[in-house]
């Protein structure tokens, strides 16, 4: 790799790694270590092709989606499920109830199936169109639609605070930092 390409890659990683790590945490169901591994693999794959990539962020996101789907396929039966420890909130009443809702939503995302979680993350947190989600997950658009419908119904059952009027479009993205989950 040429020095200029190497510098461009380093600059890209410095600027976008936090957002990409947030996406990886959502895709891995909150497992910070698995998310770091997922992002590292995607960055390694991108580094080798950096000079030929036209849209680096889109390329890295696609590598992460596909890598995670491959992990799910390989690990059909997993004996353990890792769950991040969530911090207590000490904010005002409104902020506390909002934090509680976010924590409940975060936990509910972890209880969805892997495919359901992928569809919810890609459709509503990444705001991708159904056709693009279908292409990334290598399934028909109808499967994305039905999975999104069932996933949102399950989230409303798991988190009643969302209510029947709680539409996915109203969900705010979660971010994972060293201090815990924040909005």
């Amino acid at each position: 790799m040429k020095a200029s390409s190497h510098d461009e890659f380093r600059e890209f990683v410095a600027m976008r790694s936090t957002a990409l790590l947030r996406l990886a945490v959502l895709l891995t169901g909150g497992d910070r270590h698995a998310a770091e591994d997922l992002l590292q693999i995607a960055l390694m794959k991108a580094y080798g092709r950096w000079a030929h990539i036209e849209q680096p962020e889109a390329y890295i996101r696609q590598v992460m989606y596909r890598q995670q789907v491959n992990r799910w396929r390989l690990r059909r039966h997993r004996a353990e499920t890792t769950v991040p420890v969530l911090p207590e909130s000490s904010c005002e009443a409104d902020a506390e109830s909002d934090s509680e809702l976010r924590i409940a939503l975060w936990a509910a995302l972890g209880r969805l199936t892997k495919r359901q979680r992928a569809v919810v993350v890609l459709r509503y947190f990444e705001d991708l169109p159904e056709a693009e989600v279908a292409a990334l997950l290598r399934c028909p658009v109808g499967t994305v639609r039905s999975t999104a419908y069932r996933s949102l119904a399950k989230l409303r059952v798991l988190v009643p605070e969302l209510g029947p009027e709680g539409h996915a479009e109203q969900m705010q993205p979660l971010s994972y930092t060293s201090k815990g989950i924040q909005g």
Side-chain angles (χ1 to χ4, degrees):
M1 177 179 283
K2 294 180 181 178
S4 63
S5 293
H6 180 74
D7 291 341
E8 288 175 18
F9 180 79
R10 288 183 62 152
E11 183 178 319
F12 174 82
V13 170
M15 288 177 26
R16 299 301 305 154
S17 62
T18 302
L20 291 170
L21 181 59
R22 258 185 256 134
L23 171 62
V25 168
L26 288 170
L27 286 173
T28 58
D31 186 343
R32 174 86 179 202
H33 298 292
E36 289 171 352
D37 291 344
L38 181 63
L39 179 57
Q40 186 67 30
I41 289 168
L43 290 174
M44 285 179 5
K45 288 183 178 189
Y47 182 78
R49 303 203 61 228
W50 191 254
H52 306 290
I53 299 173
E54 292 180 23
Q55 297 178 338
E57 187 159 354
Y59 178 86
I60 291 170
R61 286 172 183 264
Q62 187 172 40
V63 169
M64 286 193 321
Y65 302 142
R66 290 187 176 163
Q67 185 69 30
Q68 188 63 24
V69 168
N70 288 339
R71 282 183 181 184
W72 294 334
R73 288 180 181 151
L74 293 175
R75 297 180 191 170
R76 291 178 191 245
H77 303 289
R78 191 172 178 183
E80 295 180 21
T81 303
T82 58
V83 179
V85 178
L86 300 175
E88 292 288 327
S89 178
S90 62
C91 299
E92 296 176 17
D94 289 340
E96 187 172 310
S97 65
D98 188 42
S99 295
E100 289 172 5
L101 180 61
R102 288 178 183 281
I103 290 170
L105 183 58
W106 181 264
L109 278 173
R111 294 185 59 196
L112 296 177
T113 66
K114 294 169 174 110
R115 181 180 292 265
Q116 287 175 327
R117 187 170 52 244
V119 168
V120 168
V121 168
L122 295 173
R123 277 289 290 134
Y124 302 109
F125 289 95
E126 287 295 307
D127 199 26
L128 295 178
E130 291 170 340
E132 195 171 333
V133 173
L136 286 169
L137 298 179
R138 296 181 180 153
C139 66
V141 173
T143 300
V144 171
R145 288 182 186 143
S146 63
T147 302
Y149 177 81
R150 284 191 297 273
S151 302
L152 293 177
K154 187 173 181 178
L155 283 174
R156 288 183 188 109
V157 168
L158 293 172
V159 186
E161 296 90 333
L162 290 176
E165 72 283 344
H167 298 288
E169 292 80 13
Q170 295 172 347
M171 284 194 244
Q172 296 296 317
L174 298 175
S175 63
Y176 185 84
T177 67
S178 60
K179 296 178 183 175
I181 300 172
Q182 298 179 345

